[in-house]
Short mmCIF file of all heavy atoms in Angstrom, two decimals:
data_model
loop_
_atom_site.label_atom_id
_atom_site.label_comp_id
_atom_site.label_asym_id
_atom_site.label_seq_id
_atom_site.Cartn_x
_atom_site.Cartn_y
_atom_site.Cartn_z
N GLY A 25 1.82 12.27 -20.80
CA GLY A 25 2.07 12.12 -19.38
C GLY A 25 3.53 12.36 -19.07
O GLY A 25 4.24 12.96 -19.85
N PRO A 26 3.95 11.89 -17.95
CA PRO A 26 3.29 11.00 -17.00
C PRO A 26 2.27 11.72 -16.14
O PRO A 26 2.38 12.91 -15.88
CB PRO A 26 4.45 10.45 -16.15
CG PRO A 26 5.52 11.48 -16.24
CD PRO A 26 5.35 12.17 -17.56
N VAL A 27 1.30 10.95 -15.69
CA VAL A 27 0.25 11.44 -14.80
C VAL A 27 0.18 10.54 -13.58
O VAL A 27 0.49 9.36 -13.66
CB VAL A 27 -1.13 11.50 -15.50
CG1 VAL A 27 -1.12 12.49 -16.64
CG2 VAL A 27 -1.55 10.14 -15.98
N PRO A 28 -0.22 11.08 -12.43
CA PRO A 28 -0.35 10.24 -11.23
C PRO A 28 -1.41 9.17 -11.41
O PRO A 28 -2.43 9.39 -12.06
CB PRO A 28 -0.76 11.22 -10.14
CG PRO A 28 -0.49 12.58 -10.69
CD PRO A 28 -0.52 12.47 -12.17
N VAL A 29 -1.17 8.02 -10.81
CA VAL A 29 -2.10 6.90 -10.86
C VAL A 29 -2.52 6.62 -9.43
O VAL A 29 -1.68 6.50 -8.54
CB VAL A 29 -1.43 5.64 -11.46
CG1 VAL A 29 -2.36 4.46 -11.39
CG2 VAL A 29 -1.00 5.90 -12.88
N THR A 30 -3.81 6.48 -9.21
CA THR A 30 -4.30 6.09 -7.89
C THR A 30 -4.49 4.59 -7.90
O THR A 30 -5.23 4.05 -8.72
CB THR A 30 -5.62 6.79 -7.54
OG1 THR A 30 -6.56 6.50 -8.56
CG2 THR A 30 -5.43 8.29 -7.43
N ALA A 31 -3.76 3.91 -7.04
CA ALA A 31 -3.83 2.44 -6.97
C ALA A 31 -4.89 2.04 -5.96
O ALA A 31 -5.05 2.69 -4.92
CB ALA A 31 -2.48 1.88 -6.57
N PRO A 32 -5.60 0.94 -6.24
CA PRO A 32 -6.56 0.46 -5.24
C PRO A 32 -5.84 -0.01 -3.99
O PRO A 32 -4.72 -0.53 -4.07
CB PRO A 32 -7.28 -0.69 -5.96
CG PRO A 32 -6.37 -1.10 -7.05
CD PRO A 32 -5.55 0.11 -7.42
N ARG A 33 -6.45 0.18 -2.86
CA ARG A 33 -5.85 -0.24 -1.58
C ARG A 33 -5.80 -1.75 -1.51
O ARG A 33 -6.77 -2.43 -1.80
CB ARG A 33 -6.69 0.32 -0.44
CG ARG A 33 -6.05 0.17 0.89
CD ARG A 33 -6.89 0.94 1.91
NE ARG A 33 -6.41 0.70 3.24
CZ ARG A 33 -5.51 1.45 3.85
NH1 ARG A 33 -5.00 2.48 3.22
NH2 ARG A 33 -5.11 1.16 5.06
N ARG A 34 -4.64 -2.28 -1.12
CA ARG A 34 -4.46 -3.73 -1.02
C ARG A 34 -5.11 -4.25 0.25
O ARG A 34 -5.03 -3.60 1.30
CB ARG A 34 -2.97 -4.07 -1.02
CG ARG A 34 -2.31 -3.79 -2.34
CD ARG A 34 -0.91 -4.36 -2.38
NE ARG A 34 -0.11 -4.03 -1.22
CZ ARG A 34 0.79 -3.05 -1.19
NH1 ARG A 34 0.98 -2.31 -2.23
NH2 ARG A 34 1.50 -2.83 -0.10
N PRO A 35 -5.72 -5.44 0.19
CA PRO A 35 -6.31 -6.01 1.40
C PRO A 35 -5.23 -6.25 2.45
O PRO A 35 -4.12 -6.67 2.14
CB PRO A 35 -6.89 -7.34 0.93
CG PRO A 35 -6.93 -7.28 -0.56
CD PRO A 35 -5.91 -6.26 -0.97
N GLY A 36 -5.56 -5.97 3.71
CA GLY A 36 -4.64 -6.22 4.81
C GLY A 36 -3.64 -5.11 5.04
O GLY A 36 -2.83 -5.19 5.95
N SER A 37 -3.64 -4.06 4.18
CA SER A 37 -2.67 -2.99 4.41
C SER A 37 -3.25 -2.00 5.41
O SER A 37 -4.45 -1.83 5.51
CB SER A 37 -2.33 -2.29 3.10
OG SER A 37 -3.48 -1.65 2.58
N GLY A 38 -2.39 -1.38 6.17
CA GLY A 38 -2.82 -0.41 7.16
C GLY A 38 -3.33 -1.06 8.42
O GLY A 38 -3.26 -2.26 8.60
N SER A 39 -3.83 -0.29 9.33
CA SER A 39 -4.43 -0.66 10.63
C SER A 39 -3.55 -1.56 11.48
O SER A 39 -4.03 -2.23 12.36
CB SER A 39 -5.80 -1.31 10.42
OG SER A 39 -5.67 -2.61 9.87
N GLY A 40 -2.24 -1.63 11.23
CA GLY A 40 -1.33 -2.34 12.11
C GLY A 40 -1.43 -3.84 12.08
O GLY A 40 -0.87 -4.51 12.94
N ARG A 41 -2.15 -4.43 11.17
CA ARG A 41 -2.28 -5.88 11.11
C ARG A 41 -1.06 -6.49 10.44
O ARG A 41 -0.51 -5.94 9.50
CB ARG A 41 -3.53 -6.26 10.34
CG ARG A 41 -4.80 -5.78 11.03
CD ARG A 41 -6.02 -6.09 10.24
NE ARG A 41 -6.19 -7.53 10.18
CZ ARG A 41 -7.05 -8.13 9.40
NH1 ARG A 41 -7.79 -7.42 8.60
NH2 ARG A 41 -7.15 -9.44 9.39
N GLY A 42 -0.65 -7.64 10.92
CA GLY A 42 0.43 -8.36 10.25
C GLY A 42 1.81 -8.06 10.77
O GLY A 42 2.78 -8.38 10.12
N GLY A 43 1.95 -7.41 11.90
CA GLY A 43 3.27 -7.18 12.46
C GLY A 43 3.86 -5.85 12.05
O GLY A 43 3.20 -5.01 11.48
N PRO A 44 5.17 -5.69 12.34
CA PRO A 44 5.81 -4.40 12.06
C PRO A 44 5.93 -4.17 10.56
O PRO A 44 6.04 -5.11 9.79
CB PRO A 44 7.19 -4.53 12.73
CG PRO A 44 7.42 -6.00 12.81
CD PRO A 44 6.09 -6.65 12.94
N PRO A 45 5.93 -2.92 10.15
CA PRO A 45 6.05 -2.64 8.72
C PRO A 45 7.43 -3.02 8.21
O PRO A 45 8.43 -2.85 8.90
CB PRO A 45 5.80 -1.13 8.62
CG PRO A 45 6.12 -0.60 9.98
CD PRO A 45 5.82 -1.70 10.94
N GLY A 46 7.47 -3.53 7.01
CA GLY A 46 8.73 -3.89 6.37
C GLY A 46 9.21 -2.75 5.49
O GLY A 46 8.68 -1.63 5.56
N PRO A 47 10.21 -3.03 4.66
CA PRO A 47 10.70 -1.98 3.77
C PRO A 47 9.62 -1.63 2.75
O PRO A 47 8.79 -2.46 2.40
CB PRO A 47 11.91 -2.64 3.08
CG PRO A 47 11.67 -4.10 3.22
CD PRO A 47 10.89 -4.29 4.47
N PRO A 48 9.59 -0.39 2.28
CA PRO A 48 8.56 0.00 1.32
C PRO A 48 8.74 -0.76 0.02
O PRO A 48 9.85 -1.00 -0.43
CB PRO A 48 8.78 1.50 1.12
CG PRO A 48 10.15 1.77 1.58
CD PRO A 48 10.50 0.71 2.59
N GLU A 49 7.62 -1.18 -0.55
CA GLU A 49 7.63 -1.84 -1.85
C GLU A 49 7.35 -0.79 -2.92
O GLU A 49 6.92 0.31 -2.62
CB GLU A 49 6.55 -2.92 -1.90
CG GLU A 49 6.71 -3.99 -0.84
CD GLU A 49 5.55 -4.96 -0.88
OE1 GLU A 49 4.86 -5.04 -1.91
OE2 GLU A 49 5.34 -5.65 0.13
#
């Protein structure tokens, strides 16, 4: 490798829930 890894989507991410987006993790 290295090879790309597809990570599972975290609960609550996207769709504008939880306020404004913070810095990228």
Side-chain angles (χ1 to χ4, degrees):
V27 296
V29 175
T30 56
R33 191 172 173 92
R34 292 190 311 261
S37 64
S39 72
R41 297 177 66 191
E49 301 175 20

